[in-house]
Amino acid sequence: MAKLRLKETPGTNLLISFLIRYPVLASLRYNQGSQTLSFTVLLKDQVDAERQTEFVEFLQGYYEACKVVDPKFPQLGRVEHAALNGVTVLGYEQRVEILTLVEVRLLMQLFVEFYGDLIGAEALPLQEEELYAQEEIIEQILGQKETWRSEKSIVAYREGGRVFVYNK
């Protein structure tokens, strides 16, 4: 079984593990007030409104199909695109209480499938075993939401192969 970082709180461990495991993510934010987790992906160049709408419809189609197969699959969270200094910031926000590792895996796959080379991802050089270990940590912490939901808001981001976590 994967080991949690002992010096870190469960919420901090969760955000670090997400950023290590999923290089697509540029940052992650836990908002204690709204009990949400916000995922951020940076897209090279500006994505026009039509393509943004197509992406939301693309996600909706997959989420609806998943709901047919598994009625407990969560509803699609909030999707936002924002232009910033020549890039597009893609945001996805989901309530902590319904977020699952299955949803996260699907979401990361769909980000890559739809936007492909536009994603500005910095993959950390990890062995396959380490990737699985990070998923174990994520699954363990997501399964024990009560241990970290009361934490203060925190934000984590990736820069130059390192992960930084701050209290918000």
Side-chain angles (χ1 to χ4, degrees):
M1 176 174 256
K3 300 265 189 216
L4 294 173
R5 293 160 200 86
L6 296 177
K7 294 180 184 178
E8 313 300 336
T9 64
T12 301
N13 269 301
L14 180 67
L15 271 58
I16 291 170
S17 291
F18 267 125
L19 288 172
I20 291 172
R21 173 60 185 97
Y22 298 106
V24 181
L25 295 173
S27 70
L28 202 57
R29 182 179 57 234
Y30 169 63
N31 186 324
Q32 199 272 337
S34 63
Q35 293 287 299
T36 57
L37 210 50
S38 299
F39 300 83
T40 303
V41 176
L42 297 179
L43 304 174
K44 300 171 191 169
D45 209 2
Q46 293 190 4
V47 177
D48 62 54
E50 183 178 328
R51 183 109 192 253
Q52 292 175 19
T53 301
E54 288 173 10
F55 176 68
V56 173
E57 291 169 354
F58 175 75
L59 286 180
Q60 286 171 334
Y62 273 93
Y63 271 68
E64 289 169 9
C66 288
K67 287 292 274 181
V68 169
V69 174
D70 178 8
K72 293 181 182 179
F73 195 81
Q75 295 292 326
L76 181 64
R78 188 169 56 112
V79 180
E80 291 184 333
H81 291 82
L84 180 69
N85 298 329
V87 300
T88 300
V89 179
L90 168 60
Y92 180 77
E93 184 178 87
Q94 183 62 279
R95 293 187 339 264
V96 168
E97 67 192 44
I98 64 172
L99 184 68
T100 65
L101 184 56
V102 172
E103 178 186 13
V104 172
R105 285 179 183 153
L106 175 67
L107 194 61
M108 297 304 126
Q109 181 179 338
L110 296 178
F111 286 158
V112 172
E113 193 173 310
F114 190 86
Y115 283 117
D117 291 342
L118 288 180
I119 295 175
E122 295 178 39
L124 299 173
L126 298 175
Q127 300 292 325
E128 195 166 326
E129 300 85 38
E130 178 63 18
L131 295 176
Y132 290 123
Q134 295 305 320
E135 277 201 355
E136 280 183 30
I137 291 171
I138 293 167
E139 192 165 33
Q140 179 183 355
I141 296 171
L142 283 178
Q144 300 171 349
K145 292 174 176 57
E146 67 281 350
T147 64
W148 62 277
R149 282 192 306 195
S150 61
E151 284 191 31
K152 293 181 180 172
S153 295
I154 51 178
V155 63
Y157 68 94
R158 171 197 322 276
E159 184 178 293
R162 294 182 287 181
V163 174
F164 298 93
V165 182
Y166 295 96
N167 291 339
K168 188 173 169 193

